[in-house]
């Protein structure tokens, strides 16, 4: 293999901004009119949208069926130009495997890239997240000339790690995390290579889903390929190549103009995680967003060091990918979602910190690390935009995951391993002028769905005992966060199933409020071994919990061996009839709860979104608990008294800071933190300015 060096390519992963304009792209610019360019952009988006919808309809995994799909059209050098998705991190990270293909395989005699080829990849070093996130892309040619790539990246529910369900919370090194494939050619001459498909199927617990997901990505890409060739036939290849590049150029210029409108400054937000693998432990992700002129710099200095022997590390490229979730969905929501946005962004990561992983450390739980970072991105971004674009200053969506993972056999005897769709049942954050949306989706996949329970029960060995809005799931405030979902699962139709939980935020909240708004509450799971619930349901007429809050009430008639656990629980066997209860959290609150309209509090009480305790003690509303009629005058007087008591208890900031800095978490919690309070990491960045 002439000129090829085996092992990781540390240079290609840093090429996240657009590649330099090629001579062909530059020559075509002068011939592209504004009207034709606008029509081109619309057509390309429609092609990408068709690819996304096709992928969803044909796939088998939970994430693919319910919308955690990123479908992209990339330039010939590998830059993302057009995408249809709400899961922006996969979209922008999908360029790295393609730039790898361009650099290593296109001109490699033993591999090459030709009409009808297909490339597969899931190595998190190139994909940026973890092994369960997999992609497939095809090169598109016109008269033998490579004009673009088309591909889809989606989380497939099983990757063959030490534990089922796509994550390995006990993984000590990357060698326990399962399938790890750098970009390889798995298709030639418009056919998938059956020997390689067989290999991939054999390396996972759920071969059917693995192969169907691969074929779904490929089928969608082939449809997009045909549409692109039709467009080239109508408008010419030079126009196509030049216009695709112009999308990136226009996007980058617009992003810089948007950033220039914001106030210069440094916006800092430390974020903390309370879970290391499946056990307690404190780590810090420290983000400083430095805005100057028309550029933003993300500085991660002060983050905890890499965690050896635990999967709570992330590659830096994954952190940039999650920053794009905020950029594409919020700050630049009206601009095309592509890596041209990164023309306005720089970044600095310290050597060997937990968000700049190196060597053989495990990254299986990187999604949890990355969403923790994204919380900081939301909070910094809201403060940064408030002065110039206040409508963009929104509280964060729930970001603690809080979902089941499982593996075993379904009721038809087929092997399965996946996550549940309730990952897409989280509440959105409150906004400057209204509440967040209940069960809005997922912040990283805003166009996703959580399925209906009948669809999930049809081929999964679960019986839902209930699924509805969580009563205590959101952050309070002048405007409250959207509620998340609470649900109960019973192992059903099989002798047993291996089940666990994924996420963080069981000791303190993962989802903080904004401008005085409350955080979303911590989340954890409850399980009942040897539950009597199945017998009670068969008997009929017996009371049973129908909401998550009723599960924890003293009068809950369900009996059995009750256990509580952090939301991060390793997979373990549960026999048929055992039950598990999860609460997917809601969004953060916005503003002071004492400023909330009393009638809005009553509405939440009527709808079952709130408890009377919260209405009285957080919102300080005076009302009749039976009729829910508010005493407006008494409420105003009482709230004024509460404000006066706040002032009485206040003290100078320096005094508060002095006492606060005397506090220290228990030593066992700091094993992986680094030096407290500021983790000891090298001051000079190993990855600077991308």
């Amino acid at each position: 293999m002439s000129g090829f060096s085996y092992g990781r390519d540390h240079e290609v992963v840093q090429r996240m901004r657009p590649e330099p304009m090629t001579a062909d792209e530059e020559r075509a610019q002068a011939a592209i009119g504004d009207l034709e360019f606008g029509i081109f952009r619309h057509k390309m988006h429609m092609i990408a949208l068709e690819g996304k919808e096709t992928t969803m309809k044909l796939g088998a995994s939970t994430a693919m069926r319910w919308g955690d799909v990123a479908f992209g059209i990339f330039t010939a050098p590998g830059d993302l130009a057009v995408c249809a998705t709400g899961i922006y991190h996969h979209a922008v990270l999908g360029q790295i495997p393609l730039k790898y293909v361009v650099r290593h395989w296109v001109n490699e005699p033993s591999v090459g890239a030709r009409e009808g080829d297909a490339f597969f990849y899931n190595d998190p070093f190139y994909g940026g997240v973890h092994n369960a996130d997999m992609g497939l892309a095809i090169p598109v040619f016109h008269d033998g000339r490579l004009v673009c790539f088309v591909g889809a990246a989606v989380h497939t529910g099983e990757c063959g790690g030490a534990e089922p369900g796509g994550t390995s919370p006990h993984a000590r090194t990357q060698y326990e995390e399962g399938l790890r494939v750098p970009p390889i050619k798995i298709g030639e001459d418009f056919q998938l290579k059956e020997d390689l498909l067989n290999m991939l199927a054999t390396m996972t617990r759920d071969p059917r889903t693995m192969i169907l997901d691969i074929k779904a990505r490929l089928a969608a890409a082939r449809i997009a390929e045909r549409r692109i060739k039709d467009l080239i036939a109508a408008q010419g290849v030079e126009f196509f190549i030049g216009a695709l590049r112009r999308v990136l150029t226009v996007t980058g210029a617009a992003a810089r103009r948007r950033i220039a409108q914001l106030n210069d400054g440094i916006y800092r937000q430390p974020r903390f995680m309370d879970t290391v693998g499946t056990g307690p432990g404190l780590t810090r992700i420290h983000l400083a967003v430095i805005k100057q002129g028309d550029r933003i710099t993300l500085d991660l200095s002060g983050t905890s060091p890499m965690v050896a022997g635990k999967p709570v590390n992330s590659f830096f490229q994954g952190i940039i990918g999650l920053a794009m979730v905020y950029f594409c969905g919020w700050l630049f929501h009206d601009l095309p979602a592509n890596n041209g946005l990164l023309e306005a962004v720089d970044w600095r990561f310290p050597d060997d910190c937990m968000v700049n992983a190196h060597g053989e450390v495990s990254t299986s739980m990187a999604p949890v690390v990355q969403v923790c970072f994204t919380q900081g991105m939301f909070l910094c971004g809201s403060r940064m935009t408030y002065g110039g674009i206040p409508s963009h200053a929104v509280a964060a969506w729930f970001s603690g995951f809080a979902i089941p993972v499982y593996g075993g056999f379904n009721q038809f005897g087929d092997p399965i391993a996946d996550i549940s769709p309730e990952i897409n049942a989280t509440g959105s954050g409150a906004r400057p002028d209204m509440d967040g949306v209940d069960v809005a989706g997922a912040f990283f996949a805003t166009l996703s769905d959580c399925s209906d329970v009948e669809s999930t029960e049809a081929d999964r060995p679960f019986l839902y005992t209930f699924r509805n809005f969580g009563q205590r799931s959101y952050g309070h405030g002048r405007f409250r966060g959207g509620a998340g979902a609470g649900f109960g699962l019973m192992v059903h139709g099989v002798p047993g199933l291996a089940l666990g939980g994924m996420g963080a935020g069981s000791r303190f909240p993962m989802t903080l409020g904004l401008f005085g708004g409350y955080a979303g509450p911590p989340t954890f799971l409850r399980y009942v071994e040897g539950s009597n619930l199945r017998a009670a349901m068969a008997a009929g007429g017996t009371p049973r919990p129908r909401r998550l809050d009723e599960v924890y009430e003293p009068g809950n008639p369900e009996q059995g061996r009750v256990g509580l656990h952090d939301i991060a629980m390793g997979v373990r066997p549960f026999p048929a009839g055992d039950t598990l209860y999860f609460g997917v959290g809601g969004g953060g609150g916005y503003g002071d709860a004492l400023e909330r309209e009393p009638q809005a509090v009553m509405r939440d009480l009527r709808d079952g979104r709130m408890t009377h305790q919260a209405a009285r003690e957080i919102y300080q509303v005076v009302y009749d608990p039976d009729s829910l009629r508010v005493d407006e005058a008494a409420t105003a007087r009482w709230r004024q008294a509460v404000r006066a008591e706040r002032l009485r208890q206040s003290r100078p900031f320096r005094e508060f800071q002095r006492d606060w800095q005397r506090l220290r978490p228990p030593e066992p919690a700091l094993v992986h933190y680094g030096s407290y309070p500021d983790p000891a990491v090298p001051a000079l960045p190993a990855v600077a300015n991308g």
Side-chain angles (χ1 to χ4, degrees):
M1 297 183 64
S2 175
F4 183 75
S5 176
Y6 295 99
R8 288 174 171 169
D9 184 339
H10 291 273
E11 191 275 334
V12 77
V13 299
Q14 299 188 40
R15 289 161 51 183
M16 299 183 70
R17 297 190 189 87
E19 297 293 302
M21 190 177 292
T22 67
D24 290 344
E25 292 170 338
E26 191 168 3
R27 277 194 302 270
Q29 297 304 308
I32 303 172
D34 291 342
L35 178 60
E36 292 82 1
F37 179 63
I39 296 172
F40 169 84
R41 281 177 49 186
H42 176 73
K43 287 184 176 179
M44 292 300 289
H45 182 69
M46 291 298 100
I47 292 171
L49 185 61
E50 183 182 18
K52 176 199 169 191
E53 295 297 324
T54 303
T55 308
M56 292 173 58
K57 290 176 180 177
L58 297 180
S61 64
T62 292
M64 190 169 286
R65 289 192 293 174
W66 305 114
D68 294 4
V69 176
F71 191 92
I73 301 171
F74 304 78
T75 66
D79 290 307
L80 173 71
V82 180
C83 77
T85 181
I87 189 161
Y88 298 108
H89 59 288
H90 282 326
V92 73
L93 292 171
Q95 66 178 313
I96 299 176
L98 295 181
K99 291 182 178 181
Y100 181 100
V101 169
V102 171
R103 184 178 189 189
H104 293 291
W105 298 147
V106 167
N107 296 315
E108 165 57 45
S110 67
V111 184
R114 290 172 285 274
E115 186 112 19
D117 286 352
F119 293 88
F120 173 86
Y121 38 85
N122 87 311
D123 187 341
F125 183 71
Y126 302 107
V129 187
H130 65 160
N131 303 53
D133 291 324
M134 306 180 188
L136 181 142
I138 64 171
V140 179
F141 289 83
H142 176 78
D143 291 338
R145 178 184 180 185
L146 177 63
V147 295
C148 69
F149 289 90
V150 177
V154 194
H155 175 103
T156 288
E158 167 61 15
C159 59
E163 295 161 87
T167 61
S168 298
H170 292 103
R172 295 165 294 180
T173 72
Q174 63 179 3
Y175 304 112
E176 299 177 27
E177 295 178 318
L179 185 70
R180 189 174 71 254
V181 181
I184 62 167
K185 186 188 291 188
I186 64 165
E188 292 180 322
D189 195 24
F190 297 97
Q191 291 184 323
L192 290 169
K193 301 175 72 172
E194 291 296 336
D195 55 344
L196 292 181
L197 290 184
N198 186 54
M199 179 192 74
L200 295 173
T202 304
M203 297 173 73
T204 67
R205 294 176 178 83
D206 190 346
R208 171 182 170 273
T209 296
M210 178 75 180
I211 301 306
L212 284 176
D213 278 8
I214 289 175
K215 292 182 176 180
R217 296 181 185 97
L218 179 59
R222 291 296 178 208
I223 291 174
E225 178 186 33
R226 291 200 298 271
R227 303 285 187 261
I228 289 170
K229 288 188 173 185
D230 290 343
L231 183 59
I232 291 174
Q235 296 188 270
V237 67
E238 300 298 336
F239 175 87
F240 176 84
I241 291 173
L244 199 62
R245 173 61 199 222
R246 179 171 287 193
V247 175
L248 294 167
T249 304
V250 169
T251 302
R256 291 192 296 272
R257 288 195 299 270
R258 174 66 52 77
I259 290 174
Q261 298 173 5
L262 306 176
N263 292 329
D264 286 354
I266 301 176
Y267 306 86
R268 294 185 175 91
Q269 184 63 53
R271 295 292 294 118
F272 299 93
M273 286 177 52
D274 61 3
T275 304
V276 178
T278 59
L282 187 67
T283 54
R284 183 175 85 163
I285 300 171
H286 189 74
L287 172 64
V289 177
I290 305 166
K291 189 274 171 181
Q292 187 170 14
D294 62 356
R295 301 198 68 78
I296 284 175
T297 299
L298 308 180
D299 189 344
L300 278 295
S301 301
T303 296
S304 291
M306 280 199 308
V307 181
K310 301 285 186 180
V312 288
N313 303 284
S314 169
F315 295 115
F316 87 90
Q317 50 270 35
I319 296 295
I320 300 302
L322 266 291
M324 290 296 285
V325 172
Y326 175 75
F327 291 144
C328 294
W330 280 266
L331 182 58
F332 305 125
H333 70 94
D334 51 349
L335 300 181
N338 59 57
N339 63 307
L341 298 173
L342 289 176
E343 292 277 25
V345 182
D346 299 313
W347 47 86
R348 303 174 189 154
F349 288 78
D351 265 327
D352 300 330
C353 70
M354 64 183 295
V355 293
N356 188 15
H358 291 285
E360 300 177 350
V361 297
S362 51
T363 58
S364 187
M365 302 298 288
V368 180
V369 180
Q370 292 166 4
V371 300
C372 183
F373 155 80
T374 309
Q375 267 282 318
M377 195 70 238
F378 267 90
L379 295 167
C380 289
S382 293
R383 296 196 295 271
M384 180 174 63
T385 58
Y386 183 78
I389 319 174
S391 62
H392 284 44
V394 298
W397 293 38
F398 175 75
S399 58
F401 287 118
I403 53 166
V405 296
Y406 58 86
F409 292 87
N410 69 7
Q411 57 268 49
F412 306 108
D414 298 322
I416 55 168
D418 210 331
I419 59 178
S420 85
E422 284 74 28
I423 190 174
N424 297 329
T426 73
S428 72
R431 293 160 284 181
D433 55 352
M434 66 182 73
D435 294 342
V437 178
D438 297 332
V439 187
F443 83 92
F444 57 85
T446 51
L447 302 180
S448 59
D449 190 11
C450 64
S451 118
D452 53 86
V453 297
E454 291 80 9
S455 294
T456 302
E457 291 174 339
D459 63 352
R460 297 294 189 262
F462 301 128
L463 175 68
Y464 281 86
T465 62
F466 62 82
R467 192 179 76 177
N468 41 43
F469 295 120
Q471 190 180 59
R472 299 178 175 93
S473 60
Y474 55 79
H476 301 288
R478 178 182 182 182
F479 297 105
R480 66 165 177 83
F487 60 103
L489 293 176
M490 178 187 293
V491 180
H492 179 70
V494 292
L497 192 69
L499 279 151
M502 173 187 171
S506 293
R507 286 171 172 73
F508 57 82
M510 279 283 281
T511 307
L512 303 183
L514 183 66
F515 300 150
Y518 281 54
T523 57
F524 50 93
L525 67 86
R526 171 185 170 115
Y527 57 88
V528 182
E529 298 173 305
S531 170
N532 68 333
L533 191 58
R534 182 164 61 174
M537 294 171 68
T542 305
R544 58 184 175 86
R546 299 178 184 273
R547 299 173 55 99
L548 191 60
D549 54 288
E550 294 177 2
V551 170
Y552 297 98
E553 290 179 355
N556 179 3
E558 183 178 13
Q559 298 177 6
R561 297 180 298 278
V562 176
L564 298 174
H565 200 282
D566 290 2
I567 198 63
M569 184 178 80
V571 172
R572 48 171 293 186
F574 285 92
D578 284 6
T579 56
L580 295 94
Y581 299 95
F582 293 81
V584 180
Y590 185 106
D592 189 347
L594 294 186
E595 297 179 355
R596 186 165 179 79
E597 290 292 335
Q599 294 304 328
V601 177
M602 296 301 103
R603 183 177 64 247
D604 286 339
L605 281 173
R606 293 189 191 96
D607 293 343
R609 304 287 196 279
M610 183 186 296
T611 64
H612 287 281
Q613 181 183 15
R616 292 190 304 267
E617 299 180 11
I618 295 177
Y619 293 102
Q620 305 292 339
V621 178
V622 181
Y623 64 99
D624 179 83
D626 297 321
S627 66
L628 299 185
R629 179 172 296 176
V630 175
D631 187 330
E632 299 282 356
T635 296
R637 290 193 300 271
W638 180 243
R639 284 180 167 181
Q640 188 58 40
V642 172
R643 292 187 181 97
E645 179 61 18
R646 286 179 178 177
L647 290 173
R648 190 189 67 78
Q649 294 180 5
S650 65
R651 51 182 175 153
F653 177 72
R654 287 187 178 180
E655 180 182 324
F656 164 80
Q657 188 179 39
R658 180 199 64 206
D659 293 343
W660 180 262
Q661 290 179 340
R662 291 172 179 167
L663 303 176
R664 184 180 177 89
E667 291 304 317
L670 298 175
V671 171
H672 303 290
Y673 184 91
S675 62
Y676 187 84
D678 296 315
V681 292
L684 295 178
V687 180
N689 298 328

